[in-house]
Amino acid sequence: PVLPDNAGGDLKDRLSKFVEVSAADAFLKKKVEEGSYSPGHSNGKGSDLQNRMAKFKEITSPDAFKKKKEGEIEEGFDEADGPIQYDERGEIIGGPGNNVYMGKVVENKITLRTTTEASDYVYLYKLYLQLEKLKAQMHDSPHFEDVMVEMDVSNGYAKGEEEGVKNALEGILASTQYTANVNWLNKEWIEKHLIRDDEYGSIKFRFRDHMLFKQFDKTAQKGRDKVIRTFVEQLLQHANDITQLDLSSCLLPDKFLEVLAEEVLKNPANSLPKLQLINFESNLLEGRGIEALSEVIKNDSTWRFLQAILLENQRNHMTGEAERALADAVNLSPSIVVCSASIRDLYAVKDITDAILFNMDQLRLARRDHQAKEGTLKDRERNETELYFDSIASNESTETEVELVGDHSFVRLDDEEKAKSGAAFKDNTSVRTIKMEVLGLDDNFAIAFGESIANNSTIEKVNIDSNAITGFGMKALFAGLGKNNTIDEFQVRHQKKPMATLDEEALPDLLAPNTALLKLGIDVRSQLVRMQLDKIINANRDRVRKERLKSKK
């Protein structure tokens, strides 16, 4: 449309003016003139916004990323914050805004623990032996975990098949008087609830009477607080060597855990030092009690042998703060391998799961370290998936097609074994079609597979869509394709991360020597790169068509 003469100039001039006034330099100039911006005032260190933006571009450039890959350390935005630190993959592991605790960045929830020292393996091996004892005790001892009466924590009544047991218990409990003077809370009462197992060297304190905290509820606050504090004091005084604490199905309130945490942290190293298992299931815990328990778990000196926390089936859901606190506590514990709780926060669930898997791996490493020192370490037997690729590598397999899509046994392989699977095709003469999708294949696999296809003269079709290959791995694959003369179809789309522009621009030159590829599936953003790749593919198609016509004559 044509603007009228009084519209303030033609459209081109108006657009140019708009671009000019919206540019960063014009914006800064306007702010300085208005007095609302002073260069050097943004961070109090004499660096203005432009310098900070230039610094950002500098540390995020491809050259900077290359330095990070080589293990160098780049400076952050502000020297007062300390340098940004990277691991061997270029991922941030420390620096501005990150609170590094025991090798893990806590603020942004990045879990990256430091390498385990030899001295730690002694402690971890003790945890491993303790866990094996716990598992054996659960399996062999019929009284280790009695059949629990299903409790309705809203009223404390039992249900189901245990109705007869409930009635008998109520008859016994009717003669029991829980008085507010707490004279009954003494050494004899504590010892009455101890269960000793000499075979496994365990001592369990088990109290499951819901009538105590039902009688001293919030309406009897003063008596309730006295009962709770006395209970905790007597427990720590007369049952300090217990290995298992079972207070399930007794309407336990948050206040109990708050007092327990308070008393334990007064003498963290000597309060329940042998504790291995906590069972607080089917109670009234939801907020501050869980947070207090988490503070105890976080303490390096307390409960160093605690391996299991059972918190299922509370009357109400945990608060968000309690879920987050529990996740942080488990994430910092080197010993916990079981955490049973109803948690709605998916981030908290992931943190707890990752921490437990890490702890289990550490116990396995400690076991192997001990076996290596004792000379009893045996080589691990290779699983079915590993043996399958071994047969391909040795050329013993006669299969012509390899198809693995989201195979869980392959996904569970470590990075080294996945890379070996890529190298398995180097000397194989039977496989013609490869389909390996949704397997988490990374750059290590791509490098090994690129070398394989450069040497292989049998493979015709390859599909490795939906994996985790970056631009670095793509270049390795295309370098191999450039030396291959049998693959006519190659699909490598839908990777987790897009390639960098520089990596995309390198692909056409790497593929240029190829004369066999007729179909290529790859995600590139640069239209120029797309045109160059299409040109190579079209040239190969024309050559094949001409050869086919020539053969007919």
Side-chain angles (χ1 to χ4, degrees):
V2 179
L3 297 175
D5 295 337
N6 60 356
D10 60 16
L11 182 60
K12 182 177 180 181
D13 291 340
R14 298 185 69 191
L15 287 173
S16 300
K17 185 64 176 177
F18 173 77
V19 172
E20 178 183 352
V21 299
S22 61
D25 291 339
F27 177 77
L28 290 175
K29 182 178 179 181
K30 180 179 178 182
K31 290 295 183 183
V32 172
E33 291 175 352
E34 293 175 351
S36 60
Y37 173 76
S38 175
H41 181 68
S42 59
N43 61 1
K45 297 290 183 180
S47 59
D48 60 14
L49 180 60
Q50 289 176 317
N51 290 337
R52 289 164 65 82
M53 292 176 65
K55 186 64 178 177
F56 175 77
K57 292 180 180 179
E58 178 184 344
I59 69 172
T60 55
S61 65
D63 290 338
F65 180 76
K66 182 179 179 181
K67 292 180 181 179
K68 289 184 284 184
K69 295 280 284 186
E70 294 172 353
E72 297 183 14
I73 296 177
E74 295 288 332
E75 292 185 355
F77 297 115
D78 194 332
E79 295 178 359
D81 289 331
I84 298 177
Q85 301 175 18
Y86 305 90
D87 65 4
E88 67 276 4
R89 298 171 297 177
E91 300 291 340
I92 296 176
I93 61 172
N98 293 326
N99 178 21
V100 181
Y101 179 80
M102 291 179 63
K104 299 186 298 180
V105 180
V106 178
E107 289 291 332
N108 55 14
K109 310 306 176 191
I110 296 176
T111 301
L112 184 65
R113 300 189 184 178
T114 55
T115 304
T116 306
E117 300 293 339
S119 58
D120 293 335
Y121 278 131
V122 177
Y123 162 63
L124 291 172
Y125 186 65
K126 289 181 180 178
L127 291 177
Y128 165 75
L129 294 178
Q130 176 182 288
L131 181 62
E132 292 300 305
K133 269 189 178 182
L134 275 174
K135 292 192 293 187
Q137 189 176 11
M138 292 177 67
H139 182 268
D140 296 339
S141 302
H143 64 272
F144 177 81
E145 191 62 51
D146 295 341
V147 178
M148 288 181 57
V149 179
E150 185 182 0
M151 302 295 294
D152 180 354
V153 295
S154 62
N155 55 31
Y157 292 140
K159 302 183 297 183
E161 298 178 357
E162 305 296 333
E163 190 69 27
V165 177
K166 183 265 298 185
N167 293 332
L169 287 175
E170 284 188 343
I172 298 172
L173 291 173
S175 61
T176 304
Q177 298 295 324
Y178 293 127
T179 58
N181 60 20
V182 298
N183 291 333
W184 49 273
L185 264 171
N186 50 33
K187 180 180 179 180
E188 290 73 21
W189 188 87
I190 294 292
E191 290 183 345
K192 185 174 66 174
H193 293 86
L194 294 179
I195 301 175
R196 302 178 186 274
D197 190 329
D198 295 333
E199 180 181 355
Y200 293 98
S202 69
I203 304 174
K204 174 193 286 190
F205 178 85
R206 182 173 66 182
F207 177 73
R208 292 182 175 178
D209 184 1
H210 64 279
M211 296 302 295
L212 173 59
F213 294 109
K214 184 176 181 182
Q215 178 176 342
F216 293 98
D217 58 10
K218 290 184 178 181
T219 60
Q221 185 70 39
K222 186 176 180 180
R224 177 173 176 263
D225 290 348
K226 185 177 181 180
V227 167
I228 289 175
R229 188 161 297 276
T230 306
F231 194 145
V232 170
E233 291 173 352
Q234 293 295 316
L235 179 66
L236 296 179
Q237 181 178 352
H238 301 298
N240 201 45
D241 58 345
I242 62 172
T243 59
Q244 301 169 26
L245 179 59
D246 184 353
L247 296 174
S248 59
S249 305
C250 63
L251 300 183
L252 197 70
D254 278 323
K255 183 65 177 179
F256 185 92
L257 291 193
E258 293 181 62
V259 175
L260 177 64
E262 176 187 338
E263 294 297 323
V264 167
L265 292 176
K266 289 179 181 178
N267 189 8
N270 299 313
S271 298
L272 305 178
K274 300 180 181 179
L275 192 61
Q276 302 171 12
L277 180 145
I278 289 176
N279 186 353
F280 292 153
E281 292 185 336
S282 303
N283 285 305
L284 309 180
L285 307 174
E286 57 178 299
R288 293 183 178 179
I290 303 295
E291 295 177 45
L293 177 66
S294 301
E295 290 300 318
V296 177
I297 296 171
K298 285 181 183 179
N299 192 295
D300 293 338
S301 302
T302 60
W303 300 351
R304 297 183 69 245
F305 294 94
L306 179 64
Q307 293 191 287
I309 305 174
L310 309 180
L311 296 169
E312 286 280 6
N313 195 32
Q314 305 300 321
R315 175 190 286 182
N316 298 318
H317 289 296
M318 286 189 203
T319 63
E321 293 79 5
E323 291 181 349
R324 188 68 262 163
L326 181 63
D328 290 343
V330 174
N331 204 20
L332 294 176
S333 170
S335 62
I336 294 176
V337 293
V338 176
C339 182
S340 173
S342 298
I343 297 178
R344 295 167 296 173
D345 186 340
L346 297 182
Y347 291 105
V349 171
K350 183 180 185 304
D351 284 351
I352 291 175
T353 303
D354 290 346
I356 287 175
L357 291 176
F358 180 88
N359 290 344
M360 289 296 297
D361 286 340
Q362 290 296 97
L363 296 188
R364 283 191 285 268
L365 290 174
R367 180 195 64 195
R368 292 180 62 83
D369 178 76
H370 177 80
Q371 292 174 339
K373 291 177 180 178
E374 296 292 324
T376 59
L377 181 63
K378 297 180 180 179
D379 292 335
R380 177 181 64 85
E381 294 184 2
R382 297 180 66 76
N383 60 37
E384 184 178 350
T385 302
E386 293 168 340
L387 292 174
Y388 175 69
F389 282 99
D390 287 346
S391 66
I392 293 176
S394 61
N395 219 6
E396 296 176 357
S397 172
T398 58
E399 293 191 31
T400 60
E401 182 176 351
V402 172
E403 181 173 353
L404 295 173
V405 179
D407 186 272
H408 293 295
S409 60
F410 186 94
V411 172
R412 287 194 295 268
L413 296 180
D414 58 31
D415 293 340
E416 182 180 356
E417 289 298 331
K418 288 181 180 179
K420 284 183 179 179
S421 71
F425 300 97
K426 186 175 182 178
D427 299 318
N428 184 272
T429 57
S430 62
V431 176
R432 298 183 180 278
T433 302
I434 298 173
K435 185 176 183 180
M436 299 177 67
E437 301 181 34
V438 200
L439 297 174
L441 303 178
D442 58 8
D443 289 345
N444 293 326
F445 171 88
I447 293 170
F449 189 66
E451 294 175 355
S452 292
I453 59 178
N455 187 73
N456 187 284
S457 58
T458 307
I459 299 174
E460 298 175 353
K461 300 184 186 301
V462 175
N463 185 340
I464 49 177
D465 286 345
S466 304
N467 285 295
I469 301 172
T470 68
F472 187 78
M474 288 291 183
K475 290 189 290 186
L477 291 173
F478 272 64
L481 277 175
K483 301 176 183 178
N484 183 276
N485 58 6
T486 59
I487 296 177
D488 57 24
E489 181 178 341
F490 195 86
Q491 305 288 344
V492 63
R493 302 162 296 181
H494 312 311
Q495 304 302 315
K496 284 188 176 181
K497 294 183 179 180
M499 285 184 285
T501 302
L502 292 178
D503 292 331
E504 289 186 359
E505 293 173 350
L507 299 184
D509 291 338
L510 294 172
L511 186 63
N514 184 283
T515 58
L517 192 62
L518 305 179
K519 187 175 181 180
L520 175 64
I522 185 172
D523 299 323
V524 293
R525 294 170 295 178
S526 171
Q527 292 302 314
L528 177 60
V529 172
R530 170 60 65 188
M531 291 172 59
Q532 292 173 333
L533 294 175
D534 287 345
K535 183 178 179 181
I536 296 173
I537 300 302
N538 290 333
N540 291 345
R541 291 173 179 172
D542 289 341
R543 182 187 59 78
V544 171
R545 184 169 58 253
K546 290 178 181 179
E547 290 180 353
R548 185 171 60 249
L549 292 175
K550 184 178 179 180
S551 64
K552 290 182 179 180
K553 292 182 180 180

